[in-house]
Amino acid sequence: MNWLVSLTIVCLAVQCSTAVQYPEDVYSSLAFVFDTTGSMENDYVQLKSHAESIMNYVLTRNNTDIKHFVFVPFNDPDVGPVTETFDPKVIMHKLNQVLIRGGGDCPEMGITAVIQALKVVKPNSYIYVFTDAPPKDSHLVYDALELIQRKQSQVVVLRTMHDCISTDKSYENIASLGSGSVFDVNKEDVSKVLQFVKTSMDTNRVNLMSVNIPQKQLIPFPKKLNIDESIKSLQVSVSGLNSNIGVVNPVGKKMDEAHGLITDLDLKNVKIVNILEPIPGEWTLYITSESAHTIRACGISTKNFDFGFATSIPKNMTQTSHRPLKGAKNYILVNCPDVKKFVSCKIQDLSSDGTTEALPVLDFGRNLLLCGPFIPNDNPFYVQVFGMNNNGNYFRRITKTSIIPNEPDAPYITTTTKAVGVVGGELHVNCHVESLVPFTVTWESRNYPQQAWNFSQSSEIELVVRNVTFQHEGIFTCGAQNIAGYSESTTNVTIISKPTIAEGNDNVTLVLSEGGDYVLKCTGQGVPSPQMIWLMNGFPVTYYNDHILVINDFRRLIIYDTPLGDSNVFTCRASNEAGAIEKNYKIVVKGETPFPMIANESLIINELDDVLMNCPLTNMTHKWLKDGVNVNDLVYKRADEQHFKQINRSLKIYELDELDGGVYTCMSSYETYTFHLRIAFAPLFIKYQPETMMISKNETVVFDCRARGFPKPRVYWRKLESALPITPWTLKDTEYLEDKQVLKIHNIDWIHNGTYSCIVKNKLGSEKRRFELYVF
């Protein structure tokens, strides 16, 4: 096997996420985590209704990135099963099937359920927890916090009031770290909170401020916010007892309801206000609360930044980790689009009142900023970036979640779930390894030896396999080992091949006769089996069109009753995921061979019309011949008047019929002049045939529709029980004889039962016959 490892590091523009995004992660998730114990029975109907309302609201928004849905029920001791889907109807079905039962003691397995949801949601997602009890599994909070940082997802807890009394702060810790919220509400407040939840979800949400104040604050202390022109909505929330929020815009105007301040939620322990289309500049917040409280400010904007940590200077984002290494020097690499210049890079302790620590900064390239080095303490912190955008407005952003420094742990590996290679081409399989310390990475696949490479920090490893064959299909395993352990992830590789056409792909030209039936065969081969389609002059051919029919999954195109002038280019196209190939058939339809010139002039006159033939000879002997016989010797057609009449040098024939056709000659002493007269008449059947036939199975039947007429009549056959025309390819064991005027069917079977019709016609008229065939 020809292995080639390319250490290509890709800079990814990811909103609020340090995870390497792959096609599976292009959407965000909406997750519902429901407490299903018996004490929730009275609340469940209301919560389920609001969950459905939230779901419908998300689906009706045109600009939403939320396409993935998750549902995790929990009680004690059971959690799950987890349902994840891209079909919201599946989630609603699961909500309706939930049985509210069990419980007993108050605490439930809520943290485990949150972890299960965090494991399956996409990055930058929303998780809503509905419960009335504290968690029993608080020892798992650290595991949940690790996933929140990795997935950059927000956890919101709606806790209805019940008899459970607890001092456990696990949900508060999770919400605080992830910039989420915990709502303790009475039943009458549930609707208000859920209405706020419904309208506040937006995957373009950016964090502007996050401050924890550990004591009450009755005298407001001003806090500054930089709002740039990309912020379409400013939301300020305070979680604390009897809080109050004052907002002053950059021109010194205090905002109130008359000037655009909207109160989204006003409860005893939480207050949230919103300002639409805030003007750019420096805003000021004045906050009071009668208890310890948290202040969060966020906006709706498409302008955000990505970040990552490394213990040595990284080349780009894929060489970073989502958390710094505890007790070591770390760098922060920031990727922020639409930046004219960076002003500062700071870290802010989660437990502080907003105090920040500035880090050394270095412009690292277009839209990139390198901060540090610094040694993080043990406390969670935010990263804050301050700069000027290309429009000259200052902006300030903080990370969506706070960050906890970490001891070395086993590598975290992300691979694409699936990869596709094309026979003869190159196969690319990506593996992103996140590690705070040096590691060894290995690639392994069926029937091929394991190979290993060493890296000093997080890296994107691309495996390139050249000259791909079907033997390369299977499971590819990327494994990584560092001092803390071993991890691996697999990619299911599928090999496909470009289509080929069995009949060859050389273009051909076919000359067809008018009125005939023809089939063009085109068989596509490839893996997966290619989709076949026929085009006529560049436009798709429908299944059944005038004179054109496609059968056998578009492998055959039938041209039946081919009309003159129907010369086209038919294209057979075979296509699959690996590509497409075409073959063109240029069709030229020729008419009947013209009659050879057997006279000086050729005339075609309709039956019952008169004709006058003028002889151009000056010394005519007044003698006209028909087929060599003097017309005067011909028997008159009618007794009451002459059928042929000679007028000077002309011959006139009255009320022509079929027998009048022939070669007429006028003569002089030295030469002759001839007229070939043909009589055009409507078709007439030549032979009578019974209209009802009873034929035993395996016998042969003949339907005779031979007819006279000029111009030569064309024959059209149909079977009443079929929408398709009768051709050798649509009705088995059939053949046409005598220019399609006779239909012969061999080996009669039950499928041949039915009514057959033939229509013979030319420009002067048509005749029709029907035959009933009974097979016994």
Side-chain angles (χ1 to χ4, degrees), residues 201-429:
M201 286 186 301
D202 197 305
T203 51
N204 288 328
R205 184 173 298 274
V206 296
N207 272 13
L208 306 173
M209 176 185 290
S210 184
V211 179
N212 288 4
I213 308 297
Q215 68 277 334
K216 66 180 179 180
Q217 188 168 347
L218 301 180
I219 299 175
F221 184 81
K223 297 189 178 298
K224 303 296 183 179
L225 273 179
N226 287 95
I227 302 298
D228 59 89
E229 81 287 350
S230 73
I231 302 294
K232 303 305 179 185
S233 172
L234 169 62
Q235 184 184 89
V236 181
S237 65
V238 179
S239 296
L241 187 63
N242 297 325
S243 300
N244 187 57
I245 303 173
V247 183
V248 177
N249 70 13
V251 296
K253 180 67 176 179
K254 183 177 181 180
M255 306 299 291
D256 54 28
E257 292 184 0
H259 296 89
L261 183 72
I262 302 171
T263 300
D264 284 335
L265 197 63
D266 192 358
L267 303 177
K268 185 175 182 179
N269 63 342
V270 62
K271 185 168 184 176
I272 301 173
V273 299
N274 192 22
I275 299 169
L276 300 178
E277 302 293 342
I279 60 176
E282 188 176 71
W283 290 63
T284 307
L285 305 181
Y286 295 92
I287 310 296
T288 63
S289 178
E290 296 178 5
S291 67
H293 54 286
T294 62
I295 304 171
R296 302 279 189 265
C298 61
I300 304 301
S301 171
T302 58
K303 307 297 183 182
N304 209 351
F305 72 98
D306 187 21
F307 66 98
F309 300 91
T311 54
S312 59
I313 296 178
K315 294 181 179 179
N316 45 48
M317 293 304 300
T318 55
Q319 291 189 339
T320 65
S321 297
H322 73 289
R323 294 197 295 182
L325 181 62
K326 187 176 181 179
K329 289 183 178 181
N330 288 266
Y331 293 90
I332 307 175
L333 185 62
V334 172
N335 179 17
C336 190
D338 189 31
V339 173
K340 185 174 182 179
K341 68 175 181 178
F342 290 102
V343 176
S344 67
C345 174
K346 299 179 179 181
I347 58 174
Q348 173 196 325
D349 197 300
L350 175 67
S351 61
S352 74
D353 62 355
T355 303
T356 58
E357 176 188 349
L359 302 179
V361 297
L362 174 67
D363 284 332
F364 198 64
R366 182 175 176 83
N367 300 327
L368 291 176
L369 173 70
L370 184 67
C371 312
F374 75 106
I375 300 176
N377 58 34
D378 295 342
N379 297 327
F381 64 90
Y382 293 95
V383 175
Q384 181 190 100
V385 177
F386 184 54
M388 177 184 290
N389 63 26
N390 289 330
N391 291 330
N393 290 307
Y394 286 100
F395 69 92
R396 192 187 305 273
R397 299 286 189 272
I398 65 172
T399 50
K400 185 173 183 180
T401 68
S402 57
I403 298 113
I404 301 177
N406 194 24
E407 300 282 357
D409 57 2
Y412 185 84
I413 303 180
T414 307
T415 59
T416 50
T417 304
K418 300 176 182 178
V420 178
V422 179
V423 171
E426 291 186 348
L427 169 67
H428 294 253
V429 187

Side-chain angles (χ1 to χ4, degrees), residues 118-144:
L118 284 165
K119 286 180 177 180
V120 298
V121 297
K122 308 302 181 185
N124 197 27
S125 294
Y126 292 88
I127 300 172
Y128 293 97
V129 183
F130 300 92
T131 184
D132 64 352
K136 176 177 287 189
D137 44 4
S138 299
H139 61 285
L140 297 176
V141 165
Y142 186 85
D143 295 334

Side-chain angles (χ1 to χ4, degrees), residues 604-610 656 678-681 763-764:
I604 299 176
I605 309 298
N606 290 345
E607 188 179 29
L608 299 180
D609 286 351
D610 300 339
L656 294 168
R678 286 176 288 179
I679 312 303
F681 61 97
K763 65 180 182 179
L764 297 179

Side-chain angles (χ1 to χ4, degrees), residues 443-495:
W443 273 108
E444 188 174 11
S445 180
R446 179 186 61 185
N447 300 327
Y448 298 104
Q450 184 186 84
Q451 299 188 40
W453 299 268
N454 297 318
F455 297 91
S456 61
Q457 59 187 3
S458 300
S459 291
E460 178 90 6
I461 301 96
E462 182 183 56
L463 177 67
V464 180
V465 182
R466 296 192 176 99
N467 300 319
V468 170
T469 70
F470 284 112
Q471 291 183 340
H472 293 118
E473 186 166 271
I475 302 298
F476 282 69
T477 301
C478 178
Q481 176 80 52
N482 65 12
I483 59 174
Y486 173 81
S487 301
E488 66 179 33
S489 182
T490 60
T491 298
N492 187 2
V493 172
T494 302
I495 303 302

